[in-house]
Amino acid sequence: MNGDGFADLLNEAAARDPEGIYARFNGAPLTFSELDRRAAAFSSALEEMDIGKGARVAVMMRNSVATLAVIFGLARSGIAWVPVNVQQRGEGLRYLLGHARPSLIVLDEDFGGVVGDASPVRTLAHGPAGALDRVLDSGARPANSPTMQPDDAFAIMYTSGTTGRPKGVIVSHRMLRLAADGVCLLTGARKDDVFFVWEPLYHIGGAQLLPLPMLRGITLAMVDRFSASLFWQQVRDEGASHIHYLGGVLQILLKQPEAAGDRDHKVRVAWGGGCPVNIWRAFQERFGVDIRECYGMTEASSITTFNDRGIVGSVGRPLPWFSVDLLDAAGLPVRPGEQGEIVVRTSEPGALFPGYFDNPLATAQALRGGALHTGDLGSHDAEGNLTFHGRMTDSVRCRGENVSAWEVEHIAVEHPAVADCAMIGVAAEIGEQDIKLFLKAKPGHTIDPAAFSAWLAARLAPYQNPRYLAVIDDFERTASQRIMKHTLSTRLDDCWDRNTMADAR
């Protein structure tokens, strides 16, 4: 483990092994020297635009070689990368860009209209005739190379809020290096291993892999998107030794037709978070891989605990530089088997985030007494292995994304026919949960679920749009008029189902 950061690693690798392979993208190799050249060209362009160390640049791009160059170019310039989920739309996108206040927005050219509606900030587009592509091909190098410190901001990563607006986690260069070190411990990575990368880089799950080729001699085998039908063939073609999962990926792969070649691959380890207990053994036995589950938050350098002992249902024990306490409502430790809030402490200065960008209140709530109060529930067994039990607050984990009830309800109640609404999580066929939204109509109005769902689709990211809609007469409320969500029906047969209606069409 080394918490010194990673900003200079690519430049050093390019000088030491210029033709060494950093990654293969859709099968095409990308060398250290080529990526370093493109990153330097982008850094030079930022310098010409008078965007320097301490600034912020938003990036709304799908995975690509250009995206890698942009991220490394920002890192070498000391400019904070603000990754934007490419599914963001409407108010959510406007809020993020308005709060982050970037000096520039770099985007895939087909997002130009979406971003233009959300922010007046100047843009640089990637595409066949895009200005970004001309920049990356220019070969220019910056005149000045700012000195980088391990605790300088590498990124501001917005995570979905549980009771309010998304919060921008300040991720330092040191934190990303520690995240990569954590991945290596979790996965048992060795030199010449190949990590299959389908997850988007705008998630910490993808971003934490960026230093691995320089740190451990690992090759990243990247594809532009996840495909269940092509997954194992892509893995075989790349000779991958490791695959990553989150959300419902394992369930999706298990639902694919069984084939004689299900074990015809080189994968040793499937690693990630959110493997349901009921499919753990089935996945291992069918595909012949070792499942390694972990727990963590962006705020704590991504990975806090890891399970490399095969204990089904557990997220394991802390990394060497972390410790985990489970505390009750009074702040006292709970007994083994009892649930308490997961509170993370570290022996490595800088492993916990310095705070949320421009949000001192949220920072003070999360960082108390030198520890991160996660808002998550967990329990320990007698040997100290952690089991994760979900969020303490009002959110749903849907297809690998945290979806705040506040975010969805805040938009839904703006519909002219809606008097009030409430969101809960319900059982899902794939992934952790699906979203069910309850709606109360205003007097004299009716709500057509199909039309309302289409209205939401234009204002929410796809993963935020509820699958189930239930129109009800009224809500049960507390004395202070809060909706009693625990009384809402979790049934799936008493509501409108967007998937069923889509199948019917």
Side-chain angles (χ1 to χ4, degrees):
M1 185 272 293
N2 187 321
D4 292 338
F6 79 99
D8 297 328
L9 294 179
L10 176 60
N11 188 251
E12 293 169 2
R16 182 178 62 253
D17 184 17
E19 298 309 307
I21 303 301
Y22 173 84
R24 291 190 296 272
F25 193 85
N26 287 335
L30 174 66
T31 64
F32 289 120
S33 59
E34 176 67 9
L35 179 55
D36 183 61
R37 182 188 66 78
R38 289 172 174 263
F42 184 64
S43 183
S44 176
L46 293 168
E47 187 177 74
E48 290 180 5
M49 288 185 277
D50 200 29
I51 302 174
K53 186 176 180 180
R56 296 171 298 281
V57 168
V59 179
M60 191 173 185
M61 299 175 71
R62 304 176 186 89
N63 286 8
S64 66
V65 171
T67 305
L68 290 167
V70 166
I71 296 170
F72 276 100
L74 291 171
R76 73 187 299 154
S77 296
I79 297 168
W81 168 41
V82 182
V84 180
N85 189 322
V86 299
Q87 299 182 76
Q88 280 283 5
R89 297 292 186 274
E91 184 184 343
L93 181 60
R94 281 192 294 275
Y95 174 77
L96 189 155
L97 295 176
H99 186 265
R101 303 187 301 279
S103 301
L104 175 72
I105 302 172
V106 187
L107 44 75
D108 289 337
E109 61 182 2
D110 54 320
F111 297 134
V114 173
V115 170
D117 292 339
S119 173
V121 176
R122 60 180 168 171
T123 61
L124 191 64
H126 165 53
L132 175 63
D133 301 75
R134 293 193 295 274
V135 164
L136 298 181
D137 289 336
S138 69
R141 301 192 76 86
N144 300 305
S145 297
T147 301
M148 220 61 58
Q149 298 300 323
D151 292 318
D152 287 342
F154 160 67
I156 298 173
M157 308 191 86
Y158 280 81
T159 60
S160 186
T162 56
T163 56
R165 297 285 195 181
K167 300 185 290 290
V169 181
I170 301 173
V171 178
S172 69
H173 288 255
R174 184 195 306 271
M175 289 172 65
L176 194 76
R177 174 70 175 266
L178 288 169
D181 288 332
V183 169
C184 291
L185 284 174
L186 163 65
T187 62
R190 306 192 292 255
K191 186 178 184 298
D192 297 326
D193 276 343
V194 177
F195 276 51
F196 185 67
V197 184
W198 56 266
E199 59 270 54
L201 294 171
Y202 52 74
H203 272 290
I204 190 65
Q208 66 190 351
L209 305 179
L210 294 172
L212 291 184
M214 290 83 74
L215 290 176
R216 296 296 177 95
I218 289 166
T219 299
L220 304 180
M222 306 183 74
V223 293
D224 49 8
R225 64 185 182 278
F226 174 80
S227 169
S229 60
L230 297 176
F231 185 87
W232 289 109
Q233 187 57 53
Q234 291 173 323
V235 165
R236 281 190 285 271
D237 290 345
E238 294 291 352
S241 57
H242 292 73
I243 59 175
H244 181 252
Y245 63 86
L246 50 77
V249 166
L250 298 185
Q251 296 99 309
I252 291 170
L253 294 175
L254 267 179
K255 284 180 176 288
Q256 295 296 300
E258 292 192 24
D262 279 347
R263 286 179 170 236
D264 180 20
H265 55 75
K266 297 180 179 179
V267 176
R268 302 195 311 271
V269 173
W271 64 281
C275 177
V277 172
N278 65 325
I279 72 161
W280 191 302
R281 293 294 190 207
F283 192 92
Q284 288 189 144
E285 291 168 4
R286 175 173 167 183
F287 296 109
V289 302
D290 179 21
I291 286 181
R292 298 196 179 181
E293 185 89 345
C294 63
Y295 164 79
M297 296 178 70
T298 307
E299 289 90 334
S301 302
S302 184
I303 298 173
T304 299
T305 69
F306 69 110
N307 175 5
D308 61 351
R309 302 182 180 191
I311 303 169
V312 174
S314 173
V315 292
R317 299 186 180 191
L319 291 167
W321 50 94
F322 285 127
S323 62
V324 170
D325 296 319
L326 301 179
L327 305 181
D328 63 18
L332 300 175
V334 299
R335 293 192 296 266
E338 293 182 347
Q339 293 186 20
E341 181 182 10
I342 298 172
V343 177
V344 181
R345 301 180 188 276
T346 184
S347 59
E348 175 73 19
L352 297 179
F353 80 131
Y356 297 107
F357 176 69
D358 200 17
N359 196 336
L361 179 59
T363 299
Q365 291 172 338
L367 293 175
R368 286 177 270 150
L372 173 65
H373 291 251
T374 66
D376 288 335
L377 285 172
S379 63
H380 279 137
D381 65 15
E383 285 72 44
N385 297 294
L386 181 67
T387 297
F388 173 69
H389 295 290
R391 294 290 296 169
M392 296 169 63
T393 47
D394 196 9
S395 68
V396 171
R397 183 76 172 173
C398 183
R399 301 298 176 93
E401 301 278 356
N402 288 324
V403 181
S404 161
W406 186 92
E407 287 181 284
V408 174
E409 293 164 357
H410 177 67
I411 297 299
V413 80
E414 291 182 354
H415 190 280
V418 175
D420 212 344
C421 62
M423 185 194 102
I424 64 171
V426 293
E429 299 167 354
I430 294 174
E432 299 93 338
Q433 291 175 294
D434 277 323
I435 298 170
K436 184 175 182 180
L437 183 66
F438 294 80
L439 302 163
K440 177 185 176 182
K442 291 180 179 177
H445 289 75
T446 59
I447 298 172
D448 175 357
F452 182 78
S453 181
W455 183 88
L456 282 180
R459 293 161 173 82
L460 295 171
Y463 62 84
Q464 295 172 317
N465 196 3
R467 173 175 175 175
Y468 301 102
L469 296 176
V471 180
I472 61 176
D473 293 331
D474 208 349
F475 293 99
E476 292 186 55
R477 298 177 183 270
T478 66
S480 60
Q481 293 304 297
R482 292 180 180 271
I483 293 172
M484 300 170 65
K485 289 193 174 183
H486 66 279
T487 67
L488 297 173
S489 167
T490 58
R491 290 169 50 188
L492 307 181
D493 61 353
D494 62 353
C495 52
W496 181 86
D497 179 351
R498 175 161 47 86
N499 285 12
T500 300
M501 297 307 295
D503 291 343
R505 291 196 298 272

